[in-house]
């Protein structure tokens, strides 16, 4: 999956830290055990000597198989004896070995030349942490999306808000559960407080859990960072070109809240168009209706959305006011 270089670096650093911690703890335990049990210290010295002897044999010409086999047999006998002594003195038989967080890869992050499941989980956890820095990811799930806040009374256009919200919820769940890099892009339209951000983050939750990378941001923050990058002020930038264009799913929340100028429009068009050309899904939410979008933005943006996005229109009253 298309995780950023920074996410990969963080995961690798955590794995290295885990491994170093396990090895250091094992060394400290071993020293204490050898102090308490001199016979264990003697066995460890013998095992070290056998290891050195085997290493030296590989520099000699001729058949060394028999000698190596004999030394390994001796080593196995010493290991078995060490285990017996440890157990008889109240220790675990492998008490001198590192206790890795992941026994499969020994905290190396790879097994059989592929990412270990622990490494993949670290990437997911770091991805969630990154998105959570900008939005309440943990509080926005499909399970706590409450349809009771949507009216069952038909509006003037005959739309029943609760029925519409239920259909959008079902479509969003299916979208998240079947998400792939070939998924369609979505746009959520509707007034404030209708659950657009909630469902966007619920989708992000599932998509991240399935191993895909997600970049979430408001259009204002995204435009501010792309503008800063353009003028070389990139020391504090989160929304890099890599994140915006290469994440498996980009969520642009609150389209229309950004400062209105030609640069913002050009920046948004470049992001939207680039992701369409590279076939990477984008989810846009906005409080503007379609007429307002067409008035506010360059026709190139709205035409790309109508041509490439699935549009979902929310109806109802601001849920935040109803909860009060």
């Amino acid at each position: 999956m298309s995780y950023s270089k920074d996410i990969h670096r963080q995961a690798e650093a955590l794995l290295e830290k885990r491994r170093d911690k396990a090895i250091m703890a094992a060394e400290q335990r071993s020293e204490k055990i050898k102090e308490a049990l001199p016979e264990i210290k003697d066995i460890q010295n013998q095992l070290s000597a056998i290891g050195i002897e085997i290493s030296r044999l590989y520099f000699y010409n001729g058949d060394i198989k028999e000698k190596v086999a004999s030394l390994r047999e001796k080593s196995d006998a010493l290991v078995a004896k060490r285990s017996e002594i440890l157990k008889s003195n109240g220790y675990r038989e492998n008490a001198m070995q590192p206790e890795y967080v992941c026994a499969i890869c020994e905290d190396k992050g790879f097994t059989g030349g592929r990412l270990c499941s622990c490494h993949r989980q670290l990437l997911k956890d770091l991805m969630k942490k990154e998105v959570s820095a900008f939005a309440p990811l943990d509080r926005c799930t499909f399970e706590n999306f409450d349809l009771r806040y949507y009216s069952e009374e038909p509006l003037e256009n005959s739309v029943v808000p609760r029925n519409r919200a239920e259909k959008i919820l079902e479509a969003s769940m299916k979208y998240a559960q079947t998400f792939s890099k070939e998924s369609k892009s979505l746009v959520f339209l509707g007034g404030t407080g209708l659950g657009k951000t909630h469902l966007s983050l619920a989708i992000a939750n599932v998509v991240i859990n399935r191993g895909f990378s997600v970049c979430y941001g408001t259009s204002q923050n995204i435009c501010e960072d792309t503008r800063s990058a353009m003028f070389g002020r990139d020391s504090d930038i989160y929304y890099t070109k890599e994140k915006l264009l290469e994440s498996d799913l980009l969520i642009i929340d609150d389209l229309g809240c950004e400062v209105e100028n030609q640069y913002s429009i050009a920046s948004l068009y470049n992001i939207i168009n680039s992701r369409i050309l590279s076939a990477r899904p984008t989810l846009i939410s906005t409080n503007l209706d379609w007429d307002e979008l067409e008035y506010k933005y360059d026709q190139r943006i709205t035409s790309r959305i109508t041509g490439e996005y699935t549009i979902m229109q929310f109806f109802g009253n601001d849920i935040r006011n109803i909860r009060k």
Side-chain angles (χ1 to χ4, degrees), residues 123-137:
L123 292 169
K124 293 177 189 179
D125 292 344
L126 289 167
M127 187 78 264
K128 278 190 173 183
K129 183 180 179 182
E130 189 170 281
V131 174
S132 295
F134 300 92
L137 187 65

Side-chain angles (χ1 to χ4, degrees), residues 157-189:
N157 58 6
S158 299
V159 173
V160 178
R162 185 173 297 182
N163 292 347
R164 176 62 62 87
E166 186 174 10
K167 288 180 180 178
I168 294 175
L169 172 61
E170 290 174 358
S172 297
M173 291 173 67
K174 183 177 180 181
Y175 182 85
Q177 290 159 0
T178 61
F179 180 85
S180 72
K181 292 184 178 181
E182 289 72 45
S183 292
K184 288 272 291 183
S185 291
L186 304 178
V187 58
F188 288 165
L189 298 176

Side-chain angles (χ1 to χ4, degrees), residues 23-51:
I23 291 171
M24 185 178 295
E27 289 174 350
Q28 291 172 347
R29 282 196 308 275
S30 296
E31 290 304 315
K32 288 181 180 179
I33 290 171
K34 285 188 288 185
E35 286 179 14
L37 303 172
E39 59 267 50
I40 292 292
K41 183 176 182 180
D42 182 55
I43 289 173
Q44 289 300 107
N45 290 337
Q46 290 182 64
L47 287 170
S48 296
I50 289 172

Side-chain angles (χ1 to χ4, degrees), residues 10 17 38 134 222 224 227 231 250 261-262 296 311:
Q10 289 182 58
K17 187 176 181 180
F134 300 92
I222 289 171
E224 285 177 355
R227 184 178 179 84
F231 290 102
L250 170 64
N261 53 49
Q262 287 304 308
K296 183 178 178 71
I311 299 173

Side-chain angles (χ1 to χ4, degrees), residues 22 31 34 48 51 84 87 89 105 171 187 207 224 264 275 307:
E31 290 304 315
K34 285 188 288 185
S48 296
E84 290 176 9
K87 285 192 291 183
N89 284 275
C105 70
V187 58
V207 168
E224 285 177 355
S264 295
R275 289 187 64 86

Side-chain angles (χ1 to χ4, degrees), residues 71-258:
L71 288 168
R72 284 181 175 163
E73 186 178 344
K74 186 178 179 182
S75 175
D76 291 342
L78 286 168
V79 169
K81 184 179 179 182
R82 181 182 66 188
S83 297
E84 290 176 9
I85 295 171
L86 288 170
K87 285 192 291 183
S88 65
N89 284 275
Y91 296 98
R92 291 178 294 103
E93 61 180 291
N94 59 350
M96 300 179 75
Q97 302 303 312
E99 295 178 6
Y100 298 108
V101 174
C102 179
I104 297 171
C105 70
E106 296 183 342
D107 296 339
K108 296 173 185 174
F110 293 87
T111 178
R114 304 180 66 181
L115 280 182
C116 183
S117 58
C118 72
H119 196 161
R120 289 196 296 271
Q121 188 59 51
L122 262 181
L123 292 169
K124 293 177 189 179
D125 292 344
L126 289 167
M127 187 78 264
K128 278 190 173 183
K129 183 180 179 182
E130 189 170 281
V131 174
S132 295
F134 300 92
L137 187 65
D138 290 340
R139 299 203 305 271
C140 296
T141 66
F142 290 124
E143 290 73 22
N144 64 16
F145 186 79
D146 198 340
L147 291 168
R148 292 175 300 173
Y149 290 109
Y150 296 85
S151 173
E152 293 183 280
E153 296 298 319
L155 302 174
E156 291 181 3
N157 58 6
S158 299
V159 173
V160 178
R162 185 173 297 182
N163 292 347
R164 176 62 62 87
E166 186 174 10
K167 288 180 180 178
I168 294 175
L169 172 61
E170 290 174 358
S172 297
M173 291 173 67
K174 183 177 180 181
Y175 182 85
Q177 290 159 0
T178 61
F179 180 85
S180 72
K181 292 184 178 181
E182 289 72 45
S183 292
K184 288 272 291 183
S185 291
L186 304 178
V187 58
F188 288 165
L189 298 176
T192 58
L194 292 182
K196 300 184 301 298
T197 296
H198 187 121
L199 281 185
S200 298
L201 292 172
I203 288 172
N205 256 311
V206 174
V207 168
I208 291 171
N209 282 335
R210 293 185 55 231
F212 295 95
S213 62
V214 173
C215 178
Y216 168 90
T218 64
S219 62
Q220 179 178 344
N221 290 339
I222 289 171
C223 287
E224 285 177 355
D225 273 9
T226 54
R227 184 178 179 84
S228 294
M230 182 182 181
F231 290 102
R233 300 190 295 269
D234 56 2
S235 58
D236 244 351
I237 287 178
Y238 171 75
Y239 298 103
T240 62
K241 183 178 179 181
E242 178 193 4
K243 282 190 174 75
L244 294 171
L245 301 187
E246 296 181 16
S247 293
D248 296 324
L249 175 64
L250 170 64
I251 299 177
I252 303 176
D253 199 13
D254 212 2
L255 181 68
C257 72
E258 73 282 349

